[in-house]
Amino acid sequence: MKKRFTLFVMASMLAVLNVFAQQTEVYVTTKAEFTTAFNSHPGTPGSVTKIIIASAKNEDGSYAQATSEFTLNVGNFTPEATACADGTIIISSNQTDIDNLPHVLIAMNMATQEKGSHFSLVIENISFEFRTGNLATSGQNIYWNKTDCHADSIIFRNCQITNIPRSIVRTVPAQTDGVYNSDNTLNRFVMEGCKVHNMDINSG
């Protein structure tokens, strides 16, 4: 009995270590780096990829703290389906002052997910804005457009959420002959400590 218990504990410890081994942090300063970091997320259960927005890479290999003077315009972005299959992606910055957050302009066109996915997207410590800022008349920031959404959580923490013309998050399932093929699911939508303003904007 003691031997079985010992083996069980060792197996549990290895499982925990395996989960932690899948956690990665990636600093990005450009659209290309952001795209690569997001699509490099393995999309496996328990995997965590934290993408940290920085304004520049210093000569010593460290990264300069991003402020409200820095803008990362990702534009239209369609993640790889494998990256959004499972696990957690965190988009953050190395700045925590909510009145001095770097701007991330983006429109994410999400891929279809299988039922049972536990994919989560956490957005924190950035000013989260539509890809064209306050110039757009329509658009969504996180959009499952005629694709199946079976995500676990979308979480905003310590963010500015602004300059979004239509929706922060929108899901529209795929259709066949005008009939939706799926009941889209999102288990949790969370906002904590955020400032939300300039929503449903018109051009200019």
Side-chain angles (χ1 to χ4, degrees), residues 164-202:
I164 295 175
R166 191 169 183 183
S167 308
I168 302 172
V169 178
R170 184 182 180 191
T171 76
V172 178
Q175 298 181 48
T176 301
D177 298 326
V179 178
Y180 290 123
N181 298 338
S182 171
D183 296 324
N184 277 359
T185 57
L186 175 63
N187 291 333
R188 293 194 306 154
F189 181 86
V190 179
M191 271 191 199
E192 297 175 339
C194 296
K195 290 186 176 182
V196 182
H197 57 98
N198 283 37
M199 307 294 288
D200 300 314
I201 57 176
N202 293 318

Side-chain angles (χ1 to χ4, degrees), residues 76-125:
N76 274 320
F77 173 51
T78 303
E80 298 288 343
T82 51
C84 303
D86 214 313
T88 300
I89 295 178
I90 303 168
I91 303 172
S92 188
S93 77
N94 49 10
Q95 172 68 257
T96 58
D97 180 356
I98 197 167
D99 294 317
N100 197 27
L101 299 174
H103 305 268
V104 177
L105 279 60
I106 193 168
M108 302 177 69
N109 304 298
M110 305 299 285
T112 285
Q113 294 164 319
E114 299 294 328
K115 286 188 175 181
S117 167
H118 292 91
F119 175 76
S120 293
L121 182 63
V122 179
I123 298 169
E124 60 185 18
N125 300 329

Side-chain angles (χ1 to χ4, degrees), residues 109-147:
N109 304 298
M110 305 299 285
T112 285
Q113 294 164 319
E114 299 294 328
K115 286 188 175 181
S117 167
H118 292 91
F119 175 76
S120 293
L121 182 63
V122 179
I123 298 169
E124 60 185 18
N125 300 329
I126 63 171
S127 182
F128 189 67
E129 306 173 35
F130 190 64
R131 60 182 176 81
T132 51
N134 66 353
L135 300 178
T137 57
S138 184
Q140 285 71 221
N141 274 48
I142 304 170
Y143 193 12
W144 281 265
N145 184 18
K146 300 181 176 64
T147 58

Side-chain angles (χ1 to χ4, degrees), residues 4-45:
R4 287 183 182 177
F5 180 75
T6 302
L7 289 173
F8 172 77
V9 171
M10 290 177 64
S12 299
M13 289 176 65
L14 287 172
V16 170
L17 288 172
N18 184 51
V19 168
F20 279 102
Q22 296 180 70
Q23 297 184 3
T24 58
E25 286 189 357
V26 185
Y27 283 83
V28 303
T29 62
T30 66
K31 172 182 177 178
E33 290 174 350
F34 178 93
T35 299
T36 299
F38 199 108
N39 286 332
S40 296
H41 176 67
T44 53

